[in-house]
Amino acid sequence: MDILNQYGSDNDGSDSGSEAAATAATSKYAQQVVRQYKVDTAPDTIGNRQIAIANDPNQAVALLPPAGAGQQREMRHNMEYAQMMRPLVGPADPDGTLLADKPATTTGGSSIGGGGGTAERQAIEEAAFREQERLFWRHGSARDPSVGAGAAATVGNSKGNARAADGGGGGGGKRARRRRDKAGDPAIVRDEGAYQGPWAQFESEKKKAETSGPTDAQRAAHEQRMAAFAETSGAADGAARPRPAYVAGQPERTQLHAPTERDYQGRTYMHVPGGGAGGLCASSAPPSRLLREWKGAHAGGASAVRFIPTSGHLLLTSGMDGMVKLFDAHESLALLRSYGGHSLGVRDISFAPDGRSFLSSSYDGFTKLWDTETGACTGAFAACNRGGGGGASPNVARFCPADANVFLAGLSDKRIVQWDVRARESTLEYNQHLGAVNSLTFFDSSRRFVSSSDDKTMRVWEFGIPVVIKLIADAAMHSMPAVALHPGGRWLAAQSMDNRIVVFGTGDRIRPHRRKVFAGHLVAGFACQPAFAPDGAVLASGDAEGRVWCWDWRSAAVVARWRAHDKVAIAADWHPRLPSRLATCSWDGSVKYWE
């Protein structure tokens, strides 16, 4: 630039010379002005580093400013306090000195040094690099790529240097041969000396079998706790649990608990009070107080609760003690009759459309038909009568609303069996589920029904035709063990195991209603039965923590919730005539009546 400034025209030569002299004089005596620092409003992702290697992944990167840059006065990216106070670390020279304490050096562009260490560019095959990388992480040493192929220089600790130099061998010598266990005797199939053949383990790989699960002391303590729980669970005031009221093979029996079987007019408790069922007495609303509690109604826990159809003046409950009990839900609220005919717990109960009979499904493998008024057992239907195994048990049973002489039973062996009460035999089987059937719900004027199963699907059937007409399955679906039909007949509410109640339409195209979901409760792992108010305005359900939740049907908002039981509130049912009355039952053995 000084040579170029000497050239100029004659016209401006004097001016140029005078300006240059003035500039020199000024620069000689002038002081440096205050430096203006640039301030960034957002952090820089690469900080203060000058990186020009966007297309060259092998180029080394300096983590700190190069030597000679002076003290850094500005920081163009945000750093955490822990990073700024972190001690110096990095690669070390053979003499043990950290390279971070040495000045940066650059030799032919092959390495960039500095406070962050050094990084060298080497050419090495991918397979050889991966092999040495595995060796380094396994033995702490690897072959030095900067020396020739024939050299045996290594980097890392001294213990693994021999392996790295040998390419992974042991000490450069002959590798020790591993020995397998004996092949065994082909005549022995199990236990010691059994035949293993070429699949025998190496002696170096043999490990002692580790005992999985609880220890003997833990198992004994658990059995002791369960025995104590079985003695007191469901019984009032901690009293001892009663023995089963029914033993398999004995005739079924019933007991009347009412003072008299008939009143002064000769009417039994089947008489509907108030001169008939009539219509709804009021609009539905969540209950606000406890009307009656039957504490210890079922030893071991209650499983289901049902109001008698149309009138609702009787309440039927079942429990794990194998008993079914009938309570007055209108005036006295007392126990009227008990039914004993199952040797194991009762899973589900269901009234006939007219309420004169009901079904009870038990874990003992039987579905039994009872006369509500007399307490007589008029039929016993075994789950393994036709094509089933001996371990099958009915999970659910439902009468056909159009024909009280026919009912469906969903079994634990994936089948749905259709029974004829008059012939006392099964007439049809619906066998396409891949898991235990948990619920059966009729809709469309009893022409169709939907079943849900442990296989996380819902299947729609034409009643009387054992062919699925609609399969509802999705990878995101969970098992839905309890389903309730809306009083209007257009919607199904299914209790999903992801702590939601999902809704399905029952029109020509049965599909989920994505925008109507009821959530907030905890039911994962528990088949809590939801229930609709008789006018369909409120949906109720229990949860695993003993609470009862009520949602508004239109907005899906929670309108009420309260702590109803000490354990899982497994079932709930609305009074068919008094929409503000709700019955719930729990695994704590109690049945509660809310108003």
Side-chain angles (χ1 to χ4, degrees), residues 439-458:
S439 71
L440 298 169
T441 309
F442 283 91
F443 65 96
D444 193 14
S445 300
S446 306
R447 290 191 293 267
R448 293 182 291 174
F449 70 92
V450 61
S451 60
S452 65
S453 170
D454 283 347
D455 59 8
K456 301 181 182 180
T457 64
M458 295 181 68

Side-chain angles (χ1 to χ4, degrees), residues 68-87:
Q71 185 178 2
Q72 188 175 0
R73 294 180 178 274
E74 65 176 296
M75 184 178 297
R76 301 180 60 185
H77 64 283
N78 296 331
M79 292 183 64
E80 297 180 359
Y81 176 80
Q83 294 178 349
M84 293 190 292
M85 300 304 294
R86 185 178 299 170

Side-chain angles (χ1 to χ4, degrees), residues 301-365:
S303 58
V305 58
R306 298 282 186 274
F307 281 102
I308 191 169
T310 310
S311 62
H313 68 287
L314 298 177
L315 181 64
L316 191 68
T317 66
S318 62
M320 292 296 103
D321 53 359
M323 299 294 294
V324 180
K325 297 183 178 182
L326 188 68
F327 297 90
D328 182 11
H330 181 66
E331 293 180 354
S332 64
L333 307 181
L335 176 63
L336 299 178
R337 186 180 288 274
S338 58
Y339 310 81
H342 293 286
S343 57
L344 296 177
V346 179
R347 173 70 168 79
D348 186 65
I349 50 178
S350 177
F351 271 111
D354 57 2
R356 295 187 175 276
S357 59
F358 66 89
L359 294 168
S360 61
S361 305
S362 173
Y363 292 107
D364 62 3

Side-chain angles (χ1 to χ4, degrees), residues 140 224 235 303 358 381 389 395 480 483 580:
Q224 184 177 3
S303 58
F358 66 89
F381 308 90
N395 290 333
M480 293 170 285
V483 180
S580 63

Side-chain angles (χ1 to χ4, degrees), residues 413-428:
D413 62 354
K414 314 173 188 178
R415 297 180 298 146
I416 302 174
V417 182
Q418 181 174 321
W419 294 88
D420 191 315
V421 174
R422 296 160 296 188
R424 297 290 194 276
E425 65 180 12
S426 60
T427 59
L428 195 62

